[in-house]
Structure formats: C-alpha cells, structure tokens
Amino acid sequence: MPKFNLRNLKVGVVGLGYVGLPLAVEFGKRFSTVGFDIKEARIEELRAGRDSTLETDASELAAASKLSFTTRLADLKSCRVYVVTVPTPIDDYKRPDLTPLEKSSESVGQVLKKGDVVIYESTVYPGCTEEVCVPILERVSGLRFNRDFYAGYSPERINPGDKQHRLPTIRKVTSGSTPEVAEFVDSLYRSIVTAGTHKASSIKVAEAAKVIENTQRDVNIALINELALIFNRMGIDTEEVLLAAGSKWNFLPFRPGLVGGHCIGVDPYYLTHKAQAIGYHPEMILAGRRINDNMGTYVAQQLAALMIRRRIQVSDARVLMMGLTFKENCPDVRNTKVVDVVRELEKFGCKVDVHDPWADAAETYHEYGIRLLKKLKPGTYDAIVMGVGHDEFRRMGVARIRELGRKTHVLYDIKYVFKAGEVDGRL
C-alpha cells in the first residue's frame, strides 16, 4: 500500500446525486476534488451554484473552493482516490439492478492507475464490491487487485431533506481491502466527518451493516402497518394505541405509512437476493416487504369504502392527492409509493389530480406520466388524500384543505398531518 499524504490527495467523486454531491462538497473544502456525473444538465446547474436536490445551497457549494465539476472522464485521471456513489435500484421483478454500479466501475477502470484506491458508497449486498465491482476494475484497467490497486467500502448515510443530520454529523462506517487500506480509508473520512468513524473488520461487514440498517426499519414499519390493518378492523385508532404504548421508555416510535424511496423500500431486496443465492429463504424480511408493498392498495380501498358510505360515486370521482414525493420536505420522487395509491384509484375509475410544491414537474412526468397540478381550486373534489406531510400542507390547516372538497367529500390522512377527529379516515 503506497503511503498517501492527505495534504496532497486528489479525490474523484463519481455520481453527484443526493449522496455524491454532499460528499464532494465536504471533500472539496479540504482536498482537490473532481465531481463527475454523466448528466450534462446536472453539471451545468452545479457550476452555476444550484442544486436541484436541495441537499446543498449556493453558500455550501461556494465554500468547497477546491471542488470542480465535469462530465469528462479524462478529468478524473489525476485522482488517486475514487468514491463511487451511484444508485443501486431494483428492477420490475424486485431483483438488484447493478447496471449503474457496473458502468461506473467500467468508467473508473479506464482511469485507474497503480496505487489508486476505489471506495464504494452505494448500498449493496455483502460481497458485491469484491465479487462484482473489483473484477470489472481488474478487467478494464489490466491491474491486479490488492497488488496494483485497492478497494474500500464506506456506506452512505445521507437522509434526504434532513437539515439537522448532515454528512459531517453522522458517524461513518469505513472499511478497506487490506488493514493498511482500511486505516487509510478511515483517516480519509475522519478528516471530514466530525461525528467520527467506525472501522469495520472487512468490506463485507461494512456492506452488511448498511443493508441491515434499512431492513430493520422496513420490518419494524411493516409490523406497525400490520397492526394498523388489525386495529382498523376493530375500530380502534392506531395512533392512540401507539401513543399509549409509547408511554413506556423502550417502545420504538414507528408509525404506519407508505414505505418508498431509494433506501427502505429497496435495500431489503439486496439482502434477500444474496440470501437466496446462498440457499437460504428469508421469511420475516420478505413478509415485511409484502405488507409494505401492498399498503398503497389498502389505502385506496379504504378511501373507496369511505366514499361509498358517504354515498359518493367512486367511478368518475374527482380525487386530490396532496403530495407525491417519497417523504416530506424533499423533492425526491424515486420509488414513491404514493403513486401506488394514485394508480389503484385510477383503476376504480377515479380522476386523480396530484399537487406537490416540492416535486419537479418534468421529472414527475418523465418517471410516472403524472402532470402536477399547480393551482388548487376550492369546491372541486369528492375526496382529498394527504399523501405527504409537507410543512406547506400543515400550515394550510385542515379547514383550508377541506375547502378544496365539495359539500360532501372525504378527507383521508395517510401521514397523520391532522388529528383523528379532523379527518374522515387514516391509517
């Protein structure tokens, strides 16, 4: 392992989305850093001091005085450390789609030199870095792993839309392909993460630690969702039950809801894929996934039942969906499960309008074929669904929200934006 001097280090960050950009900004405050992305429009907006993900602002971009942006692979050639932060989605059959990871590894392989270190941050199953990525780096570069170049893994812990828990204040797990590399990778992240680091004993341990973080949350939410299904049949308000149970100090404060996004709704499938590949069929994890994946259908059915009780015809009914992003106060629409509710209501014959002040209209149309409603018209809707708990909706208040409905309408609250007595139904 060559001796790297952190003071003269040049870092390349591959992928400038929700994970890569904050990382590039922090590195760019201390080291000469090149931020690389294949999207020309993304590079242009960052060069202009704008970030459409809203994870960084103009002042933060300006503070990263040693950071430059590029779409040219050749601009990465002088880097000694490459950090890969590309998405790891699932396909239509809920299998890991490693295409972005494989293509980025091919790109890095083209500029890889002797003594370089490649660090992956993308969420994967245990073994993926060394079994999938490293062979690609070897094949493209012609170099030998752990002789000519080295690898590390430090899983991302970015929480989109969270302005309190930022990259420097979240403890970082690190690892490397040799003990010396592990120490180097750890020292690199210690230089930008004020919360400190946790050095794992191997890359596989670090990969496993990441994938179970969101799997644990997914299973816990699935339990609460199942409880909500049970309590609904019993005529018991789920939130009242959870508040009562939460009076004990060690009760975990999970709430029912739609589980989407690029992490919690995706990561468990990476773990179950690997488990099945080695001959074990995971039961609890997949059961939780089935429950959470079906919650959109359940919400639509509940809404339809409430409308029928109010003698509102479901077919041709006008429905307003308030919010589309996968979480509140965040523009990210990737894998949002609000779309599941919209699609199910459309199957019932409803005409659904979607309003979201955070979502990008062009991206929403490109991803889902949904045209966002810009202006809300009072007295229009037979049903209103609070799909996302944006601050803007909370500030509107229940009275203004209800003004959007017709004289007889239903207000259904997925996200507990309002109190139980103020709405007609909720999870």
Side-chain angles (χ1 to χ4, degrees), residues 154 238 291 302 309 373 388 399:
S154 181
T238 302
I291 291 171
Q302 288 295 107
R309 289 189 203 124
L373 182 71
V388 187

Side-chain angles (χ1 to χ4, degrees), residues 328-342:
E328 65 277 1
N329 306 323
C330 172
D332 196 348
V333 297
R334 289 177 296 174
N335 195 38
T336 173
K337 293 302 178 182
V338 177
V339 170
D340 292 358
V341 183
V342 174

Side-chain angles (χ1 to χ4, degrees), residues 163-203:
K163 299 305 179 183
Q164 180 180 357
H165 302 96
R166 309 296 298 277
L167 173 64
T169 62
I170 303 173
R171 196 175 184 192
K172 202 84 160 66
V173 174
T174 67
S175 64
S177 56
T178 71
E180 295 79 14
V181 173
E183 180 55 37
F184 168 71
V185 172
D186 194 67
S187 66
L188 176 64
Y189 281 100
R190 280 202 313 268
S191 70
I192 64 169
V193 179
T194 57
T197 58
H198 176 97
K199 185 169 67 173
S201 62
S202 69
I203 287 176

Side-chain angles (χ1 to χ4, degrees), residues 139-427:
R139 173 176 56 81
V140 176
S141 69
L143 302 176
R144 289 284 302 277
F145 179 49
N146 278 343
R147 186 191 72 182
D148 301 323
F149 74 93
Y150 308 87
Y153 184 80
S154 181
E156 60 90 2
R157 282 180 164 173
I158 295 293
N159 187 26
D162 189 339
K163 299 305 179 183
Q164 180 180 357
H165 302 96
R166 309 296 298 277
L167 173 64
T169 62
I170 303 173
R171 196 175 184 192
K172 202 84 160 66
V173 174
T174 67
S175 64
S177 56
T178 71
E180 295 79 14
V181 173
E183 180 55 37
F184 168 71
V185 172
D186 194 67
S187 66
L188 176 64
Y189 281 100
R190 280 202 313 268
S191 70
I192 64 169
V193 179
T194 57
T197 58
H198 176 97
K199 185 169 67 173
S201 62
S202 69
I203 287 176
K204 284 185 179 180
V205 168
E207 290 169 326
K210 170 56 182 176
V211 80
I212 71 165
E213 286 179 15
N214 289 320
T215 300
Q216 182 188 63
R217 285 182 56 79
D218 192 45
V219 170
N220 275 287
I221 297 171
L223 170 63
I224 302 301
N225 274 337
E226 187 163 58
L227 292 174
L229 302 181
I230 295 169
F231 294 146
N232 180 268
R233 293 191 176 199
M234 300 173 69
I236 302 173
D237 184 76
T238 302
E239 188 183 40
E240 284 193 50
V241 176
L242 295 177
L243 290 173
S247 62
K248 189 179 181 185
W249 79 93
N250 60 353
F251 185 81
L252 300 178
F254 288 95
R255 289 293 183 270
L258 305 176
V259 184
H262 63 292
C263 289
I264 301 178
V266 172
D267 295 355
Y269 287 119
Y270 274 75
L271 183 57
T272 57
H273 167 81
K274 184 64 175 180
Q276 291 168 330
I278 60 175
Y280 178 79
H281 181 74
E283 297 186 26
M284 179 179 288
I285 298 171
L286 287 176
R289 281 279 76 232
R290 284 193 294 272
I291 291 171
N292 287 341
D293 276 346
N294 287 326
M295 290 305 292
T297 299
Y298 174 78
V299 167
Q301 291 172 346
Q302 288 295 107
L303 179 64
L306 287 169
M307 292 170 69
I308 291 170
R309 289 189 203 124
R310 293 280 178 90
R311 300 183 184 277
I312 299 172
Q313 182 175 310
V314 177
S315 179
D316 292 325
R318 293 288 302 277
V319 179
L320 175 64
M321 178 62 70
M322 298 289 283
L324 184 71
T325 60
F326 91 92
K327 66 181 294 188
E328 65 277 1
N329 306 323
C330 172
D332 196 348
V333 297
R334 289 177 296 174
N335 195 38
T336 173
K337 293 302 178 182
V338 177
V339 170
D340 292 358
V341 183
V342 174
R343 298 295 185 232
E344 196 67 23
L345 290 172
E346 288 174 340
K347 289 179 183 177
F348 291 157
C350 298
K351 297 177 181 178
V352 185
D353 288 337
V354 180
H355 173 69
D356 193 318
W358 283 82
D360 179 79
E363 183 181 5
T364 298
Y365 184 74
H366 177 266
E367 291 293 324
Y368 304 109
I370 294 175
R371 296 189 186 278
L372 294 177
L373 182 71
K374 292 183 178 180
K375 194 169 183 179
L376 297 173
K377 184 178 179 182
T380 301
Y381 298 99
D382 300 293
I384 303 166
V385 182
M386 305 306 300
V388 187
H390 292 317
D391 287 346
E392 288 89 339
F393 299 160
R394 296 180 187 276
R395 286 194 294 266
M396 284 180 70
V398 68
R400 284 185 60 196
I401 295 291
R402 281 202 178 274
E403 286 176 1
L404 301 171
R406 292 174 175 164
K407 184 176 181 180
T408 301
H409 68 272
V410 170
L411 176 57
Y412 192 94
D413 192 354
I414 298 175
K415 295 294 292 184
Y416 293 76
V417 176
F418 305 119
K419 296 178 181 178
E422 296 177 324
V423 299
D424 302 309
R426 60 180 185 170
L427 282 176

Side-chain angles (χ1 to χ4, degrees), residues 13 15-27 42 45-46 50-57 61 67 69 85 167:
V13 178
L16 297 175
Y18 285 86
V19 174
L21 181 62
L23 187 69
V25 166
E26 293 304 321
F27 278 137
R42 177 64 168 160
E45 72 170 20
L46 293 175
R50 300 190 307 272
D51 172 24
S52 57
T53 71
L54 305 182
E55 289 303 301
T56 60
D57 57 32
L61 288 170
L67 172 62
F69 300 108
T85 63
L167 173 64

